[in-house]
Amino acid sequence: MMAETIPKIRIMKGAEPDLSAATYQIHDESHTIGNALRWMLMKNPKVEFCGYSAPHPSENHIQVRIQMYDKLSSLTALLTALTDLDSLCETVENAYDISLRKDKYEKWEEKS
Amino acid sequence: MPFKASQSLHDPRRHVGVHAEHISNVSSTDYPGHYPDEDHSWDLVKFTKDLQVKVQRLSNRSIEFDLVGVDASIANGFRRILIAEVPTVCIEHVYVFNNTSVMVDEVLAHRLGLVPLNVDPALVDMKDAVTDQATDRNTLVFRLAVACTRNKLAPNISTTNPEELYTNSEVLSSHLQWDPQGEQAVVYADNPPAPTNPNIVLVKLRPGQEVEMEMHAVKGVGKDHAKFSPVATASYRILPLIILNPEKPVPAHLATKFQECFAPGVIRVDPRTKRVSVDEKNMRKDTVSREVLRHPEFEGCVELKRVRDFFLFNIESESFYPPERLFPEAIKVMRGKIATIRKAAEALLADSDALDGEVEGGAVAETRIPREAGGEGDVIMTEA
């Protein structure tokens, strides 16, 4: 099957050999992950530049460009950002859960 | 406001300016390097402290809650996932044995697909490919067999009401009969699969017309087809902020006019002194129509703003999920996506580390994808 041969992440041609600057192509993802990941990468002070694009609507992938200061690895920064994004999600989930259980809020009946 | 951040609601860095013909300060600036001598790097402890999630209203069909302290990219990610990537179960294949109604098979099949079902998506496996075999784990079978006949017992001959004249003059969603396969009779014993709403008219029939079909429902996501979307709407607004200028109060004789420039309940007018004030609790109800900026007499009296990181979510469920469960499901999907990417990135890192030693000059490895092959010195990467 064609679908099985497409890697989830691919490093695009032209990356620095030490990966201090690289463009990652993430398959089957969109602005949803692209923008959130970009934001989290930009929160990293060691990231010189980060941007993402969805090159074409009929191509099912996004590209994330990461450039690092001090010749650091962009791949490590990507992994850190993913971990941080996950902990962000966990925090939001917990806060929502607590509010739903403990807060006082209006409950009403809506006709369907 | 019942929020801890109520003090900082007036922090100008959080404000998006709303002016007569433009908006200002749209982008967030909380990045490292933006402000000299300020950090702004990711800090989970600070984020946890500043984050506020507060449910405001909950009904059997919808939920309203505030999400405060996250960037628009995160809030929008959740909104997008709610609409397009939280899976549900819907009718996907329709096998028509007989259809003598006035509606053609394709249109009726499309209508059947749009009927929301009360099936817990957690109990159904996603079919990986269209060619996947249908099993009792990934497919639910429904049957529909309705024929319209004349009602010989119609009490009133002169009536024109089809409900009285005929039986089965309408095919309703309640006519869908679930046909359990394999282990399904046990798995779904507590909550037999059926449409969430029994009163959806699928097609109208007249005597002699009938429909007979078998339907297969599968699990899918909204980005594949809108019928799989678990929500009717999932949207957010950004908190409106109305700041009255103490230097230039609204003239007493214009107080009512000023009040009417905003949504009802947003502006209070003191009945005695005619002094205007903003109802902090109702401020969120404002539509930010900017009507007040059209009147020269109010120039300088008021500033319109929005709080950039204050999201007022509204989610309406239209599926199996109770409204309060949708947002956690969206977060679950988001975390699943992150985990998948993480795994792939870790594999990439392991491969580049392993091959770093072998390849001269520290070139990073990659499996050759024929289309990309060639070109000297190109960096070659490994798939996950």
Side-chain angles (χ1 to χ4, degrees):
Chain A
M1 283 291 294
M2 180 63 193
E4 286 157 40
T5 61
I6 300 171
K8 185 70 184 177
I9 306 185
R10 210 159 64 79
I11 299 177
M12 306 290 286
K13 235 159 55 167
E16 289 291 322
D18 59 359
L19 290 183
S20 62
T23 305
Y24 297 85
Q25 186 172 76
I26 309 178
H27 178 70
D28 197 22
E29 291 301 343
S30 62
H31 297 279
T32 308
I33 280 293
N35 202 11
L37 201 54
R38 186 227 83 216
W39 179 79
M40 192 50 98
L41 278 156
M42 284 177 71
K43 282 295 235 181
N44 183 343
K46 292 295 177 193
V47 171
E48 179 195 36
F49 171 87
C50 179
Y52 85 98
S53 73
H56 194 277
S58 64
E59 288 174 20
N60 190 20
H61 59 243
I62 53 165
Q63 292 171 355
V64 182
R65 173 75 180 170
I66 311 170
Q67 290 170 209
M68 303 295 292
Y69 288 120
D70 307 334
K71 297 265 171 214
L72 290 164
S73 165
S74 62
L75 191 52
T76 316
L78 180 68
L79 281 163
T80 313
L82 286 164
T83 312
D84 291 343
L85 205 53
D86 191 61
S87 50
L88 181 152
C89 288
E90 194 183 2
T91 310
V92 174
E93 193 170 6
N94 289 339
Y96 177 87
D97 212 48
I98 290 168
S99 174
L100 196 65
R101 277 188 289 115
K102 304 232 171 109
D103 278 351
K104 281 202 174 123
Y105 46 85
E106 182 190 346
K107 287 180 191 157
W108 57 297
E109 194 64 25
E110 197 169 356
K111 276 193 174 174
S112 45
Chain B
M1 294 238 105
F3 291 103
K4 335 176 232 193
S6 56
Q7 307 94 321
S8 59
L9 216 55
H10 287 268
D11 176 1
R13 280 187 189 176
R14 295 174 72 188
H15 291 172
V16 175
V18 180
H19 314 281
E21 289 178 359
H22 75 286
I23 47 174
S24 57
N25 300 319
V26 179
S27 309
S28 48
T29 54
D30 53 345
Y31 298 110
H34 190 96
Y35 297 104
D37 303 324
E38 288 184 32
D39 185 14
H40 290 296
S41 57
W42 173 248
D43 180 348
L44 182 61
V45 177
K46 187 176 182 301
F47 174 79
T48 311
K49 196 166 78 54
D50 291 347
L51 177 76
Q52 288 157 30
V53 184
K54 189 171 187 311
V55 179
Q56 295 288 349
R57 270 177 113 219
L58 173 67
S59 85
N60 50 331
R61 285 179 58 86
S62 68
I63 187 168
E64 286 170 38
F65 63 93
D66 301 347
L67 180 60
V68 191
V70 301
D71 191 70
S73 55
I74 308 295
N76 194 41
F78 291 141
R79 183 196 61 86
R80 286 173 61 95
I81 289 174
L82 280 165
I83 294 169
E85 297 190 60
V86 174
T88 64
V89 177
C90 280
I91 290 167
E92 175 77 353
H93 301 287
V94 178
Y95 302 94
V96 182
F97 304 129
N98 192 9
N99 174 19
T100 52
S101 76
V102 290
M103 192 176 283
V104 293
D105 298 357
E106 293 87 334
V107 177
L108 184 49
H110 177 241
R111 290 177 66 78
L112 286 163
L114 296 171
V115 174
L117 303 174
N118 69 347
V119 182
D120 184 353
L123 299 175
V124 184
D125 290 345
M126 191 87 85
K127 267 171 100 175
D128 293 325
V130 187
T131 49
D132 254 21
Q133 194 82 92
T135 69
D136 56 348
R137 295 276 173 93
N138 63 23
T139 305
L140 290 165
V141 179
F142 289 89
R143 292 181 195 285
L144 184 64
V146 182
C148 179
T149 51
R150 258 174 227 289
N151 183 9
K152 298 235 168 60
L153 306 168
N156 185 356
I157 292 296
S158 63
T159 184
T160 54
N161 180 6
E163 305 249 324
E164 288 178 35
L165 284 174
Y166 321 121
T167 55
N168 290 334
S169 65
E170 286 176 342
V171 181
L172 301 171
S173 53
S174 58
H175 285 123
L176 290 179
Q177 285 295 319
W178 172 53
D179 184 3
Q181 308 290 312
E183 64 183 21
Q184 289 176 351
V186 182
V187 173
Y188 297 96
D190 306 339
N191 186 20
T196 52
N197 184 338
N199 301 318
I200 305 168
V201 179
L202 297 166
V203 60
K204 294 191 175 189
L205 298 180
R206 286 298 174 266
Q209 297 178 348
E210 65 173 302
V211 288
E212 188 188 352
M213 38 192 68
E214 179 179 318
M215 286 142 281
H216 290 183
V218 300
K219 185 163 155 178
V221 289
K223 64 180 175 183
D224 171 45
H225 192 296
K227 71 184 173 186
F228 290 118
S229 187
V231 295
T233 64
S235 64
Y236 57 73
R237 298 186 304 127
I238 310 171
L239 180 76
L241 191 64
I242 299 155
I243 303 173
L244 296 174
N245 183 359
E247 308 284 311
K248 195 186 171 205
V250 175
H253 69 284
L254 293 173
T256 316
K257 185 179 179 184
F258 184 83
Q259 187 182 39
E260 285 170 353
C261 288
F262 297 88
V266 174
I267 298 290
R268 278 183 309 220
V269 178
D270 189 295
R272 198 170 52 80
T273 62
K274 296 288 173 198
R275 253 176 59 97
V276 301
S277 58
V278 179
D279 188 322
E280 294 287 328
K281 224 172 162 212
N282 281 337
M283 196 159 61
R284 59 174 61 214
K285 289 184 181 167
D286 193 41
T287 58
V288 198
S289 65
R290 293 181 281 179
E291 171 69 13
V292 71
L293 304 178
R294 295 181 65 237
H295 302 284
E297 59 270 39
F298 297 136
E299 204 179 313
C301 290
V302 65
E303 275 188 296
L304 300 184
K305 310 260 184 209
R306 300 195 100 130
V307 184
R308 190 183 298 113
D309 62 350
F310 201 121
F311 298 93
L312 312 167
F313 267 83
N314 180 31
I315 304 172
E316 285 175 37
S317 175
E318 190 56 79
S319 61
F320 159 80
Y321 290 113
E324 69 273 19
R325 265 195 64 193
L326 282 163
F327 191 62
E329 287 296 324
I331 297 176
K332 207 197 277 175
V333 172
M334 175 73 115
R335 296 186 72 182
K337 290 160 87 76
I338 292 167
T340 312
I341 300 169
R342 221 194 122 71
K343 235 172 112 189
E346 270 164 0
L348 210 60
L349 186 69
D351 284 343
S352 69
D353 284 349
L355 287 153
D356 240 3
E358 295 168 27
V359 183
E360 294 274 307
V364 187
E366 151 179 17
T367 42
R368 250 165 217 279
I369 293 163
R371 206 155 33 85
E372 298 272 329
E376 47 184 303
D378 55 339
V379 185
I380 298 180
M381 302 300 159
T382 312
E383 66 182 83

